[in-house]
Amino acid sequence: MNKQEIVLQRAIELAKLGAGSVSPNPMVGAVITHQGKIIGEGYHQKYGEAHAEVNAIADVFLKHENAVELLKEATLYVTLEPCAHFGKTPPCSDLIIQHQIPEVVIGCTDPFSKVNGKGIEKLQNAGIKVTTGVLEQECLALNKRFFTRVEKQRPYIILKWAQTLNGYFATKDGPQKWISGKEAKMLVHQWRSEEDCVLVGKRTAEIDNPQLNVRLVEGKNPKRAVIDRDLKLDKKLHLFDNSIETFVFNKALTDVKENVKYISIEDFDFFLPQYLLYQLYLQDIQSVIVEGGIKTLEMFISAGLWDEARILVSPIAWEDGLKAPEINGIQESIIPIGKDKLLTLTPQHP
């Protein structure tokens, strides 16, 4: 790594600290250097609050009495193009210009229409030296959820399930039977804390009565979503306990009852996953974990609407059961999680 990449790698590490707290905004980290030394750093900590660049500049003022002079000779490193528009906060590009920071190094540009190149253009017009594309692929990967939502007008989709060594997903009859070990269960709760929403089908809601929260780890609970075509689910289920905002996708009703939002989907039996995702997009949902059941997972697979599949494979084998979904993709990794293995796939794009 060269010097620019080393500093920007630190900015990426800072950005990740905002995971689970900044959606639907992107995660962004910023580092400010003076004569090769870091004098301030910051990241976007919470949606609607100060951006990374603002926090990094504030950090310089907090740590250095001569901050005004230092900034006039500094370089600002940021993982994503500084914004150029008024949103929840003022434009970061204006703040950079105001403090006369002479050089800015950017990981990747922002595809959001109100930014996309405008932040860079504003900086350059003010005489600031701008370098782009440093650790670009890493910075793009950092905000793959944000970019998916902006470019495809749908949330980033993670398919998740557990299966036995010989490919069974669930029992054919009878009660729920755990497949994964305790380490895998905790990891799933950690995943939930990092995403905006968890989606299940009607049968999973009936049989498992899931809470879909993060009770095994510290972090925020995701919003919940369930597909209930004819609104037949028992209101005594955990999904209707009003503890978390919950979307109920159905054929007939659009209404809000306490913390439950009923959303009617037109042409319910056709193009259902596309309609579901667009409705979640309209609700500012940036990422969704689809946790089952089999029909719901297969619906997204057959429609080609997924960005990542996380499959927990147990070392145990069953004599019988319901077969796990079949999915084709590029194997990104396979790692041990306790006694289980986590297989991660991404789609094969033509």
Side-chain angles (χ1 to χ4, degrees), residues 72-188:
K72 290 178 181 179
E73 300 174 348
T75 301
L76 185 146
Y77 294 78
V78 63
T79 55
L80 186 67
E81 177 182 359
C83 59
H85 67 290
F86 280 88
K88 295 275 185 183
T89 60
C92 291
S93 53
D94 287 357
L95 186 68
I96 295 167
I97 294 167
Q98 175 190 328
H99 288 288
Q100 300 177 44
I101 298 173
E103 184 174 0
V104 176
V105 177
I106 297 168
C108 63
T109 56
D110 189 336
F112 185 51
S113 60
K114 290 183 178 179
V115 183
N116 200 356
K118 296 181 178 68
I120 293 170
E121 182 181 6
K122 184 177 278 192
L123 295 175
Q124 290 175 330
N125 288 342
I128 294 170
K129 179 184 177 182
V130 179
T131 303
T132 60
V134 179
L135 295 186
E136 184 175 32
Q137 292 307 311
E138 291 86 342
C139 290
L140 289 169
L142 173 70
N143 280 307
K144 55 191 176 184
R145 294 157 180 80
F146 173 73
F147 295 135
T148 297
R149 184 176 182 274
V150 170
E151 294 170 350
K152 298 183 179 181
Q153 293 192 320
R154 67 163 176 82
Y156 184 88
I157 304 303
I158 300 166
L159 306 181
K160 168 262 163 185
W161 70 85
Q163 65 184 52
T164 65
L165 188 62
N166 54 344
Y168 288 115
F169 177 90
T171 56
K172 282 188 175 178
D173 299 297
Q176 176 193 46
K177 190 175 179 181
W178 285 107
I179 297 175
S180 304
K182 62 180 182 180
E183 294 90 351
K185 291 176 190 174
M186 290 188 68
L187 179 61
V188 169

Side-chain angles (χ1 to χ4, degrees), residues 43-55:
Y43 66 97
H44 185 31
Q45 298 179 17
K46 188 176 180 181
Y47 175 66
E49 295 184 0
H51 288 186
E53 300 94 322
V54 176
N55 288 330

Side-chain angles (χ1 to χ4, degrees), residues 9-303:
Q9 182 60 47
R10 171 58 182 164
I12 291 172
E13 292 169 3
L14 289 166
K16 290 178 180 177
L17 297 175
S21 301
V22 301
S23 178
N25 281 354
M27 294 180 285
V28 183
V31 176
I32 300 173
T33 66
H34 180 268
Q35 296 180 356
K37 294 183 179 180
I38 293 175
I39 59 171
E41 54 185 30
Y43 66 97
H44 185 31
Q45 298 179 17
K46 188 176 180 181
Y47 175 66
E49 295 184 0
H51 288 186
E53 300 94 322
V54 176
N55 288 330
I57 290 170
D59 193 41
V60 176
F61 276 91
L62 184 66
K63 294 176 177 176
H64 304 277
E65 292 183 0
N66 59 336
V68 173
E69 291 75 21
L70 288 175
L71 288 171
K72 290 178 181 179
E73 300 174 348
T75 301
L76 185 146
Y77 294 78
V78 63
T79 55
L80 186 67
E81 177 182 359
C83 59
H85 67 290
F86 280 88
K88 295 275 185 183
T89 60
C92 291
S93 53
D94 287 357
L95 186 68
I96 295 167
I97 294 167
Q98 175 190 328
H99 288 288
Q100 300 177 44
I101 298 173
E103 184 174 0
V104 176
V105 177
I106 297 168
C108 63
T109 56
D110 189 336
F112 185 51
S113 60
K114 290 183 178 179
V115 183
N116 200 356
K118 296 181 178 68
I120 293 170
E121 182 181 6
K122 184 177 278 192
L123 295 175
Q124 290 175 330
N125 288 342
I128 294 170
K129 179 184 177 182
V130 179
T131 303
T132 60
V134 179
L135 295 186
E136 184 175 32
Q137 292 307 311
E138 291 86 342
C139 290
L140 289 169
L142 173 70
N143 280 307
K144 55 191 176 184
R145 294 157 180 80
F146 173 73
F147 295 135
T148 297
R149 184 176 182 274
V150 170
E151 294 170 350
K152 298 183 179 181
Q153 293 192 320
R154 67 163 176 82
Y156 184 88
I157 304 303
I158 300 166
L159 306 181
K160 168 262 163 185
W161 70 85
Q163 65 184 52
T164 65
L165 188 62
N166 54 344
Y168 288 115
F169 177 90
T171 56
K172 282 188 175 178
D173 299 297
Q176 176 193 46
K177 190 175 179 181
W178 285 107
I179 297 175
S180 304
K182 62 180 182 180
E183 294 90 351
K185 291 176 190 174
M186 290 188 68
L187 179 61
V188 169
H189 283 231
Q190 181 62 41
W191 290 342
R192 290 176 183 171
S193 75
E194 295 167 355
E195 311 302 339
D196 286 353
C197 184
V198 180
L199 170 72
V200 296
K202 176 175 177 285
R203 182 172 170 78
T204 297
E206 285 178 326
I207 295 174
D208 296 349
N209 189 18
Q211 297 180 59
L212 302 182
N213 59 20
V214 298
R215 60 194 178 278
L216 298 182
V217 299
E218 288 189 12
K220 74 167 184 62
N221 288 314
K223 295 180 181 180
R224 305 180 293 201
V226 62
I227 303 169
D228 183 13
R229 183 183 188 276
D230 299 308
L231 297 175
K232 290 184 176 180
L233 285 174
D234 190 335
K235 298 303 181 290
K236 294 180 181 178
L237 294 172
H238 291 310
L239 288 172
F240 300 100
D241 63 10
N242 289 306
S243 63
I244 305 169
E245 185 175 356
T246 301
F247 306 108
V248 181
F249 294 107
N250 66 93
K251 189 177 180 180
L253 178 66
T254 296
D255 196 8
V256 177
K257 297 181 180 179
E258 295 184 72
N259 224 4
V260 179
K261 289 185 177 180
Y262 294 88
I263 300 176
S264 173
I265 301 293
E266 58 179 324
D267 299 326
F268 191 94
D269 298 315
F270 304 95
F271 309 111
L272 181 57
Q274 289 89 335
Y275 289 145
L276 288 180
L277 295 183
Y278 187 64
Q279 288 297 327
L280 290 171
Y281 165 81
L282 294 177
Q283 297 290 332
D284 277 342
I285 299 297
Q286 188 165 266
S287 59
V288 179
I289 303 178
V290 182
E291 290 202 13
I294 296 173
K295 287 185 178 180
T296 303
L297 288 161
E298 288 178 339
M299 179 177 70
F300 282 91
I301 293 169
S302 62

